[in-house]
């Protein structure tokens, strides 16, 4: 299929920052793009050839949109899967496949998939309703502490809570959920696997993720992870096996825990470009966004090794500020060595909202990490 | 001034591929952009916030456009300078300044500027009309061979001809021109100098340009140039002095010759991102496009050193083909190590038209150069 300067159309479900960064690469390759998105102020509003407003969870919206394109991809998992199934039957190439999304969209189903495929993951119990958890605790079938996770629609740290006492259950929505063993871990890691339709596979270097204790959001992403070679290899193997099990096309970001015993357990996956891969734009031979485009168009995959060390910090709305966004001290951080801010284009900030990220690259990873800390202390996402 | 997610507006005169690549970075920083361009099918058509059709050489078009923005820049030199002068008087920040453009737009004026500022350049004579050249030759005031260059509107190798015999003058337009000494040179080099409004300066590494003998277009750009350290330093010094003389803001690409004696002579300059700097996107710590944005917004400049070796080849329309473009074998080159094609988005190809470029990066520059040759032999820009 001739993708370049032709009649080919690529559809993207979702118009947020991940889509925006995909569009850098469709522009680079002059690939015609159509975006479906609910908000008229989304980051993807410009730089795509067609921008359509619509609800991603609505069957008709997704189906009618998908009928217009040759290849359809996502930048967010919460999309109408039945519509994707219908489109697949009619010959639209959907990547990731509806089957993959169905498995991943529900955390309980996802965890069962790992068990069924002999992939390492923390033990868990599944509940139709959060209320059933109290009973399980009282009957001794479930011990605290554990990690409560809603089965559907959690994102960016929401829908996850560490439960140490019964009181911690207060206020949690009464929905389908899982209670997962609380695994004491050394590190949170991620590996992004790229796979094209022909089955060619490449993995990115293992990255390390440092989390904000309260908001449960990533603070630093460090590439490569500062872990022993043997552990990195294990993580890579688990990620590859996971990718094979899903038979996925495109990118698969596999988030894992490195336990105290240096075992690797899968936390969860995302079948699309991922926050842990943003540093690839400046640090890698091939950005994850370019790679995702290559993969879903069945083009050859690019190199995944790094040119230089990379650290990424997220720019999230500061607590106590809501309204028209101001990036305080952004000029100061732009004076720091190897620093590039990415501003997603959301006009309104609120506490913990993902407004952008900053990548720090350096031949010396320790230096990059130091500068990243200075960046974090300096720039503040506030409001007018 | 607050540029990010604010009421700030950046204007770009010209909507071609240089503007397109500037827009990658304005999107990255969420800077509001307005583009003025004559063609409704220009590469900048999408990815800017406002796209205006108009003739860049027309006073009213440029003036009315410029009145709407806070900072105005160019991606092409052929713009109405009187309009820029008027805008400058009214407080619009124009970079490069109208004064700089006035000097550069006319090759004769440009050459005189170098003489006046004691900057090294090949000797030349200036003529009001090409017809005067014959007389000069007959009176012995001008010897062949020499390089004929029209004073205005030459670009991409047009308006330049090596004159070895009087017959070579046949067919040349009867316009203001210069006859420049034909200097036997070892290499054609370029240095891009970045300078922000506060006067902070950084230079990019010296690059080497290999030219196509007939079309007078660059075939390979190699970074860093494979020349002795001492010569590179000289080239950098000449570029810096040239930048100071112009007092320019933004980027200044200084093209130079390395003579047989290893002297450095200025060929010409371009006060904007330049073809010789495209490899910076993948090879440098800061792409020339991001750097130009930083410079004209008076933000701190980013690092200009390279992460890896970089070679760029231009994608020009193959001889004998005109019409809807086809990039033959583009998938094959995308399977080569460190290769990224850039497709500008022009729908129609014709012989020697600049349709895109391909960058090859590698830790080993010699390897990159080898792969670049394979790229050049493989990809062909033809028509349906």
């Amino acid at each position: 299929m001739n993708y370049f300067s032709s009649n080919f159309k690529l559809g993207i479900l979702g118009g947020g920052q991940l889509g925006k960064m995909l569009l850098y690469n469709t522009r680079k390759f002059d690939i015609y793009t159509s975006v479906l998105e609910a908000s008229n102020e989304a980051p993807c509003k410009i730089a795509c050839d067609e921008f359509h407003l619509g609800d991603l969870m609505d069957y008709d919206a997704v189906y009618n949109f998908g009928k217009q394109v040759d290849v359809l991809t996502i930048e967010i998992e919460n999309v109408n899967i039945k519509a994707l199934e219908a489109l697949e039957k009619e010959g639209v190439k959907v990547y990731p496949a509806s089957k993959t999304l169905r498995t991943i969209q529900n955390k309980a189903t996802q965890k069962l998939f790992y068990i069924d495929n002999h992939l390492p993951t923390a033990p868990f119990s599944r509940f139709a309703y959060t209320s059933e958890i109290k009973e399980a605790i009282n009957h001794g079938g479930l011990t605290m502490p554990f990690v409560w996770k809603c089965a559907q629609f959690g994102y960016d740290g929401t829908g996850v809570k560490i439960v140490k006492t019964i009181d911690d259950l207060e206020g949690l929505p009464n929905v389908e959920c899982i209670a997962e063993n609380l695994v004491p871990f050394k590190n949170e890691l991620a590996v992004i696997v790229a796979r094209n339709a022909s089955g060619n596979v490449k993995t990115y270097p293992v990255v390390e993720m440092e989390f904000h204790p309260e908001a449960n959001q990533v603070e630093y992403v460090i590439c490569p992870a500062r872990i022993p070679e043997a552990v990195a290899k294990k993580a890579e193997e688990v990620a590859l096996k996971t990718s094979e099990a899903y038979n996925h096309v495109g990118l698969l970001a596999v988030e894992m825990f490195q336990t105290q015993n240096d075992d690797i357990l899968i936390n969860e996956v995302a079948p699309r470009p991922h926050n842990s891969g943003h540093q690839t734009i400046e640090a890698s031979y091939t950005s994850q966004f370019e790679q995702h485009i290559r993969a879903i168009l069945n083009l050859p995959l690019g190199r995944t090794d790094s040119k230089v060390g990379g650290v990424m910090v997220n720019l999230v709305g500061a607590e106590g500020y809501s309204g028209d966004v101001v990036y305080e001290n952004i000029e100061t951080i732009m004076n720091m060595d190897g620093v590039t801010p990415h501003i997603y284009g959301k006009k309104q900030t609120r506490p913990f909202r993902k407004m952008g990220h900053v990548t720090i690259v350096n031949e010396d990873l320790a230096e990059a990490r130091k500068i990243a800390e200075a960046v974090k202390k300096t720039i503040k996402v506030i409001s007018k």
Side-chain angles (χ1 to χ4, degrees), chain A:
Chain A
M1 193 185 280
N2 177 20
Y3 306 111
F4 307 90
S5 293
S6 70
N7 293 329
F8 172 80
K9 283 193 186 183
L10 172 67
I12 304 174
L13 293 174
Q17 63 265 23
L18 297 180
K20 182 187 183 192
M21 291 184 272
L22 279 174
L23 292 179
Y24 293 162
N25 295 277
T26 52
R27 294 297 295 134
K28 180 163 76 185
F29 294 157
D30 191 37
I31 287 163
Y32 190 99
T33 50
S34 190
V35 171
L36 181 67
E37 158 63 41
S39 160
N40 202 24
E41 267 137 36
C44 284
K45 184 73 194 287
I46 68 177
C48 52
D49 294 89
E50 292 179 36
F51 183 81
H52 299 272
L53 284 173
D55 178 357
L56 300 176
M57 292 300 290
D58 181 73
Y59 180 94
D60 288 326
V62 174
Y63 177 77
N64 292 328
F65 173 78
K67 286 288 289 171
Q68 309 294 320
V69 305
D70 302 292
V71 173
L72 183 61
T73 191
I74 64 158
E75 58 112 48
I76 187 170
E77 288 87 329
N78 294 333
V79 297
N80 187 291
I81 297 189
K82 280 200 155 74
L84 296 184
E85 289 170 344
L87 290 164
E88 282 166 339
K89 287 199 180 77
E90 291 177 34
V92 178
K93 290 193 171 71
V94 181
Y95 301 128
S98 61
K99 185 176 166 193
T100 305
L101 277 169
R102 202 174 267 295
T103 306
I104 291 173
Q105 245 193 18
N106 182 303
K107 285 204 170 75
T109 317
Q110 196 185 134
K111 290 282 282 185
L112 286 166
F113 177 84
Y114 301 138
I115 305 296
D116 291 346
N117 283 277
H118 313 292
L119 295 163
T121 193
F124 73 105
S125 303
R126 181 184 194 175
F127 298 95
Y129 296 98
T130 311
S131 50
E132 293 173 2
I133 290 184
K134 261 194 201 166
E135 295 177 34
I137 292 173
N138 291 335
H139 289 141
L142 181 60
T143 51
M144 292 172 285
F146 58 82
V147 186
W148 173 90
K149 293 181 180 177
C150 64
Q152 299 196 72
F153 305 122
Y155 67 94
D156 271 355
T158 69
V160 178
K161 186 167 186 186
I162 294 177
V163 175
K164 297 173 190 161
T165 72
I166 287 231
D167 289 341
D168 289 329
L169 290 170
E170 288 306 305
L172 292 180
N174 196 26
V175 295
E176 184 190 6
C177 57
I178 63 174
E180 198 179 49
N181 277 27
L182 183 58
V183 176
F185 54 81
K186 277 186 191 174
N187 282 305
E188 297 203 54
L189 309 171
V191 170
I192 293 178
V193 185
R195 190 159 173 279
N196 68 13
S198 294
N200 301 121
V201 186
K202 285 191 197 246
T203 55
Y204 280 90
V206 186
V207 306
E208 203 188 310
M209 300 183 295
E210 289 184 38
F211 275 74
H212 185 294
E214 282 155 29
N216 202 35
Q217 281 183 318
V218 172
E219 280 211 302
Y220 296 96
V221 173
I222 297 155
C223 182
R226 298 160 302 182
I227 54 178
E229 176 73 35
V231 177
K233 269 189 104 61
K234 255 198 236 183
E236 207 179 287
E237 277 164 17
V238 170
L240 270 168
K241 286 198 181 118
T242 309
S243 156
E244 274 170 39
Y246 276 114
N247 202 35
H248 89 279
V249 174
L251 298 185
L252 188 75
V254 185
E255 295 185 70
M256 296 164 280
F257 296 115
Q258 173 192 2
T259 68
Q260 295 297 339
N261 296 337
D262 286 340
D263 286 322
I264 298 294
L265 299 176
I266 299 169
N267 177 11
E268 61 182 7
V269 304
R272 49 161 175 80
H274 190 252
N275 190 257
S276 68
H278 291 348
Q279 42 76 30
T280 60
I281 295 175
E282 290 87 1
S284 177
Y285 270 88
T286 310
S287 88
Q288 64 165 341
F289 300 97
E290 175 178 331
Q291 196 76 286
H292 184 73
I293 299 297
R294 285 177 179 245
I296 64 178
L297 301 187
N298 203 23
L299 293 165
L301 299 178
R303 282 175 70 166
T304 49
D305 50 332
S306 297
K307 295 169 189 163
V308 288
V311 178
M312 184 212 73
V313 301
N314 282 309
L315 289 179
V316 295
E319 289 181 80
Y321 294 92
S322 291
D324 291 346
V325 65
V326 171
Y327 297 94
E328 193 178 64
N329 301 327
I330 188 170
E331 298 197 18
T332 312
I333 66 154
M334 288 181 79
N335 200 20
M336 298 177 186
D337 206 338
V339 170
T340 312
H342 290 251
I343 305 300
Y344 296 156
K346 301 172 186 177
K347 302 303 174 198
Q348 299 288 304
T349 185
R350 52 176 189 266
F352 299 117
R353 188 179 195 197
K354 259 192 190 143
M355 301 295 286
H357 71 267
V358 181
T359 302
I360 303 90
V361 283
N362 201 292
E363 311 89 325
D364 181 340
L365 186 62
E367 188 60 24
R369 177 60 180 77
K370 237 193 280 179
I371 297 170
E373 205 163 319
V375 167
K376 221 171 181 0
K377 287 195 168 89
T378 307
I379 186 167
K380 230 178 145 193
V381 183
I382 59 179
S383 53
K384 290 187 181 157

